[in-house]
């Protein structure tokens, strides 16, 4: 049996991995989606299960108002002497000149929490990572952002000591790497056989992405970069990557880089890394204008590779070369299957399934209830879809390019400012929304709103609905195209609107932020302030 990549499918970037005994944990970035940081667990590296979100209180994390793809970036999970440490960046200003990238740490003695209140770290840049040295000292490495024009260095990593008794950064801040040519970020430090290794993502997170490794006898440097003949380089400006997809635009795992290492109980080594699967447009869409673009709807995902240490102490992919594999040899560990993925959620439980996340604010009883009408998810309508403050919206990840999402809605809107329905969304500016509303002439009715980078239109007119019936809403996504359906019985649905491009719901097409991935979910707006409830009996996400 092989490990099938990506192991965490759909929007799961910047993976950080640890092993504690027989248990493996991966933390990934969640950006403006609440709660903060997704944790998966595995015992075999094959089967992974979502177990929790460490940042689940507003006192730990306040995302109100943050822009798309800001918020939580690149968590780093470590474990030392009975304590889990999670460091991460909360980005409050980006896509501008001066970035605000604040770094924090929370700790817990149980991976399931509770996690502490955040400790403030230093803020020279993003992607902080904590290293626990043998002598008990702790260090934080991070990249440096530079607002000057031109920037002084293109790639810069720094190191500072962190004192856990004082709960603060101490001592000097020093450059570990500062150079013109190669951009580095997402760094982690490891120690092996008296070498300190600096393991860093190179060349940015898009299709040029790669992973580099440097080493030094002293933690403060100088670090020597691993340079070997098997590393293909087109010119002197190209990074020395031990893994990259940049020369192979046709392999499944594009954008490969931003890796973290783990050693198994048996002494094998693996690295998790981010990757992206490029959208292959379906037959009907492939000659269209948009199909000329390489787009990644599923965002950046998490994959894993087997690696080996060479005799002279460098790290390489186990298969040789620099190309990540789609299927990877599994470790010599017993299989530990996880529960099958959630398909139809009947909303019969007291708590919402972990798969769902909300935008910026906690999912609480004030606007979302599983008890107000047992067996239904009740969403009280609030802000409009452009709001970065108080949206009533929950969503889960697209995990494949072809799937069907369906829900059934009991809703009696009284004015056009009340809407509820099924949404396919990247961020506040990019979505397709099949919704039920009210029209002065038609009464209860249904239509579709399309927002592409904040330009809105209705690809379908308003169609009247029967007043007292629950209505089924459905969207079928098929490799870049979407078709919506509605009706009163699952076997009697009728198409609504044209078959449309949905590839704009992707990293590449979205203008303000491009770090998350496509989501699908349920939402409700009531811009009158009356909080009109919308009741959803079930929600299904089915990969075809
Ligand atoms: C992540 C960083 C990156 O922190 O993207 O471009 C950021 N590089 O490594 C968000 O995933």
């Amino acid at each position: 049996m092989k490990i099938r990549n990506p192991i965490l499918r759909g929007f799961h970037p910047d993976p950080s991995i640890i092993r504690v005994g027989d248990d493996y944990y991966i933390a990934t970035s969640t950006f403006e989606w609440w709660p903060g940081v997704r944790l998966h667990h595995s015992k075999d590296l094959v089967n992974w299960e979502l177990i929790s979100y460490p940042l689940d209180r507003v006192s730990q994390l306040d995302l109100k108002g943050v822009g798309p793809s800001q918020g939580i970036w690149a968590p780093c999970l470590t474990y030392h002497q009975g304590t889990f440490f999670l460091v991460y960046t909360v980005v409050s200003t980006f896509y501008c000149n001066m970035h605000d990238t604040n770094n924090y740490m929370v700790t817990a003695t149980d991976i399931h929490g509770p996690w502490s209140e955040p400790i403030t770290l230093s803020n020279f840049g993003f992607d902080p990572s904590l290293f626990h040295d043998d002598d008990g000292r702790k260090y934080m490495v991070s990249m440096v952002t530079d607002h000057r024009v031109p920037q002084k260095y293109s790639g810069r990593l720094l190191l500072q000591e962190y004192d856990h008794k004082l709960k603060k950064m101490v001592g000097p801040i020093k450059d570990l790497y500062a150079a013109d040519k190669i951009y580095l970020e997402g760094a982690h430090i490891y120690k092996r056989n008296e070498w300190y290794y600096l393991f860093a993502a190179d060349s940015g997170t898009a299709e040029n992405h790669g992973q580099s490794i440097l080493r030094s006898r002293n933690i403060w440097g100088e670090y020597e970069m691993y340079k070997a003949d098997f590393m293909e380089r087109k010119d002197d400006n190209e990074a020395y990557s031990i893994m990259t997809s940049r020369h192979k635009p046709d392999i499944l795992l594009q954008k490969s880089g931003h890796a973290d290492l783990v050693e198994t109980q048996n002494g094998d080594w693996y690295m998790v890394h981010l990757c992206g699967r490029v959208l292959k447009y379906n037959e009907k869409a492939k000659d269209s204008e948009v199909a000329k673009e390489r787009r990644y709807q599923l965002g950046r995902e998490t994959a894993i590779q087997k690696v080996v240490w060479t005799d002279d102490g460098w790290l390489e992919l186990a298969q040789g070369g620099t190309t990540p594999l789609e299927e990877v040899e599994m470790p010599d560990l017993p299989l530990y299957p996880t529960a099958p993925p959630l398909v139809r959620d009947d909303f019969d439980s007291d708590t919402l399934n972990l798969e769902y996340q909300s935008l910026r604010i906690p999912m609480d009883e004030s606007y979302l209830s599983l008890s107000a009408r047992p067996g239904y998810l009740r969403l009280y309508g609030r802000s409009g879809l452009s709001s970065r403050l108080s949206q009533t919206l929950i969503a889960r990840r697209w995990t494949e390019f072809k799937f069907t999402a369906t829900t059934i809605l009991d809703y009696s809107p009284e004015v056009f400012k009340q809407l509820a329905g099924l949404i396919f969304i990247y961020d506040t500016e990019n979505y397709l929304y099949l919704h039920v509303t009210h029209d002065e002439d038609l009464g209860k009715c249904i239509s579709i709103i399309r927002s592409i980078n904040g330009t809105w239109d209705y690809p379908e007119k308003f169609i009247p609905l029967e007043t007292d019936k629950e209505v089924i809403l459905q969207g079928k996504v098929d490799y870049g195209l979407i078709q919506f359906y509605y009706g009163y019985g699952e076997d009697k649905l009728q198409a609504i609107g044209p078959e449309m491009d949905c590839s704009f719901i992707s990293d590449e097409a979205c203008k303000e932020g491009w770090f998350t991935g496509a989501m699908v979910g349920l939402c409700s707006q009531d811009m009158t302030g009356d909080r009109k409830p919308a009741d959803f009996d079930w929600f299904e996400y089915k990969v075809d």
Side-chain angles (χ1 to χ4, degrees):
M1 175 157 186
K2 300 267 191 174
I3 308 178
R4 173 178 170 243
N5 277 320
I7 48 172
L8 308 182
R9 301 172 89 81
F11 160 25
H12 291 100
D14 311 326
S16 171
I17 188 167
I18 52 164
R19 177 176 66 83
V20 179
D22 294 340
D23 297 297
Y24 294 82
Y25 301 100
I26 293 179
T28 50
S29 301
T30 43
F31 304 88
E32 75 268 33
W33 291 92
W34 179 274
V37 179
R38 240 160 119 89
L39 284 186
H40 282 81
H41 168 253
S42 174
K43 281 182 179 288
D44 54 17
L45 302 185
V46 177
N47 300 291
W48 291 89
E49 184 179 11
L50 175 64
I51 55 163
S52 66
Y53 300 86
L55 305 173
D56 60 0
R57 308 187 294 275
V58 177
S59 61
Q60 290 171 310
L61 178 68
D62 189 351
L63 292 176
K64 247 189 182 170
V66 303
S69 291
Q70 301 183 33
I72 297 283
W73 284 20
C76 160
L77 184 63
T78 54
Y79 178 81
H80 193 242
Q81 295 179 343
T83 301
F84 293 92
F85 295 80
L86 184 74
V87 301
Y88 52 93
T89 307
V90 181
V91 178
S92 55
T93 327
F94 210 71
Y95 313 109
C96 59
N97 183 23
M98 294 191 193
H99 310 306
D100 290 298
T101 58
N102 300 321
N103 297 321
Y104 299 99
M105 170 195 291
V106 289
T107 59
T109 47
D110 182 338
I111 191 82
H112 296 97
W115 290 79
S116 71
E117 289 298 298
I119 298 162
T120 303
L121 306 176
S122 68
N123 295 340
F124 271 82
F126 51 84
D127 295 356
S129 173
L130 194 67
F131 168 68
H132 311 266
D133 209 344
D134 305 333
D135 60 4
R137 297 175 98 149
K138 301 185 192 305
Y139 300 86
M140 185 191 91
V141 58
S142 89
M143 60 78 77
V144 179
T145 55
D146 189 345
H147 59 271
R148 292 168 295 186
V149 184
Q151 292 180 346
K152 195 150 184 118
Y153 303 102
S154 85
R156 190 167 182 184
L157 299 175
L158 59 74
L159 188 76
Q160 192 181 9
E161 194 172 345
Y162 166 76
D163 187 323
H164 196 47
K165 282 202 190 78
L166 300 175
K167 302 226 174 344
K168 62 176 202 172
M169 307 299 303
V170 291
I173 300 175
K174 288 196 180 156
D175 282 339
L176 292 187
Y177 177 92
D180 290 340
K181 286 187 178 155
I182 296 162
Y183 177 73
L184 295 183
E185 60 187 347
H188 299 290
I189 293 180
Y190 316 96
K191 191 174 188 182
R192 183 176 174 273
N193 295 345
E194 299 310 311
W195 285 110
Y196 290 93
Y197 289 92
L198 189 53
F199 199 40
D202 67 58
S203 321
T205 193
E207 289 184 337
N208 265 338
H209 209 198
Q211 185 69 20
S212 296
I213 190 163
L214 304 90
R215 72 180 180 191
S216 165
R217 289 284 184 202
N218 186 316
I219 190 161
W220 295 102
E222 287 197 4
Y223 282 85
E224 175 202 2
M225 175 96 60
Y226 184 29
K227 299 177 177 177
D229 290 344
F230 71 88
M231 299 173 184
E232 194 181 329
R233 290 170 74 239
K234 294 242 161 11
D235 57 46
D236 272 355
N237 295 325
E238 187 169 340
Y240 290 91
S241 307
I242 65 157
M243 176 189 66
T244 183
S245 319
R246 75 175 77 94
H247 306 292
K248 301 263 170 67
D250 296 328
I251 61 169
L252 182 76
L253 306 182
Q254 292 297 302
K255 300 187 173 178
S256 298
H258 199 122
D260 191 13
L261 285 177
V262 71
E263 183 179 9
T264 70
Q265 302 88 307
N266 305 322
D268 292 327
W269 287 79
Y270 284 82
M271 72 176 175
V272 286
H273 63 95
L274 76 76
C275 67
R277 287 177 279 165
V278 70
L279 167 64
K280 304 255 187 284
Y281 294 84
N282 87 17
E283 276 303 307
K284 284 186 263 174
K286 75 177 184 6
D287 297 324
S288 66
E289 231 1 72
V290 290
K292 291 185 185 140
E293 276 193 47
R294 284 168 70 87
R295 290 182 169 174
Y296 291 79
Q297 293 186 292
L298 309 180
R300 294 164 305 155
E301 315 182 76
T302 291
I304 193 164
Q305 304 294 326
K306 189 166 187 195
V307 285
V308 289
W309 292 98
T310 64
D311 292 341
D312 54 353
W314 288 111
L315 192 75
E316 295 178 4
L317 289 171
Q319 67 273 18
T322 57
T323 304
L325 289 182
E326 198 177 321
E327 292 199 329
V328 171
E329 188 188 323
M330 67 166 286
D332 185 16
L333 296 171
L335 277 175
Y336 192 81
T338 46
L342 174 69
V343 178
R344 181 176 287 209
D345 188 344
D346 284 311
F347 299 126
D348 286 338
S349 160
D350 296 345
T351 49
L352 206 56
N353 191 283
L354 276 183
E355 273 303 333
Y356 302 110
Q357 289 192 265
S358 56
L359 275 172
R360 299 176 178 83
I361 46 163
M363 293 171 269
D364 68 47
E365 278 279 326
S366 71
Y367 73 92
L368 171 161
S369 178
L370 288 161
S371 60
R373 181 172 173 189
Y376 284 75
L377 172 71
R378 173 164 289 182
L379 295 182
Y380 294 95
R382 297 190 304 165
S383 308
L385 282 169
S386 298
S387 171
R388 296 174 181 186
L389 300 173
S390 56
Q391 284 202 46
T392 296
L393 183 151
I394 58 156
R396 53 179 296 172
R397 284 147 178 75
W398 298 19
T399 57
E400 305 299 333
F401 295 105
K402 189 168 186 207
F403 66 88
T404 303
T406 316
T407 190
I408 182 161
L409 171 63
D410 189 3
Y411 185 47
S412 306
E414 289 160 296
V415 291
F416 72 98
K417 282 178 171 287
Q418 295 170 336
L419 303 79
L422 176 66
I423 190 158
F424 296 75
I425 181 168
Y426 191 93
D427 61 18
T428 41
E429 310 289 295
N430 292 282
Y431 52 83
L432 285 157
Y433 184 24
L434 177 64
H435 64 280
V436 175
T437 185
H438 177 94
D439 176 81
E440 294 85 336
D441 301 319
L442 301 174
K444 185 172 168 182
C445 57
I446 186 166
S447 188
I448 300 164
I449 303 180
R450 171 169 54 191
S451 174
I452 304 184
N453 286 314
T455 301
W456 299 274
D457 72 339
Y458 282 74
E460 175 60 274
K461 59 185 185 310
F462 290 99
I463 298 173
L465 289 176
E466 292 186 33
T467 316
D468 294 324
K469 277 197 177 157
E470 295 190 348
V471 59
I472 295 177
L473 310 175
Q474 185 176 76
K476 278 184 179 291
V477 170
D478 186 357
Y479 289 88
L481 290 178
I482 188 167
Q483 176 68 61
F484 286 109
Y485 297 84
Y486 78 107
Y488 304 101
E490 279 186 81
D491 50 350
K492 289 185 286 217
L493 297 181
Q494 62 190 86
I496 172 168
E499 193 168 35
M500 288 179 283
D501 169 60
C502 65
S503 71
F504 70 89
I505 302 179
S506 66
D507 292 358
E508 281 59 32
C510 294
K511 287 219 179 96
E512 191 173 349
W514 48 86
F515 281 151
T516 55
M519 307 282 281
V520 56
L522 308 175
C523 62
S524 174
Q525 299 76 39
D526 186 347
M527 290 161 283
T528 69
D530 279 350
R531 298 164 50 88
K532 186 78 187 169
D535 291 345
F536 296 87
D537 193 359
W538 48 260
F539 176 39
E540 184 177 279
Y541 169 85
K542 199 167 173 195
V543 173
D544 296 325

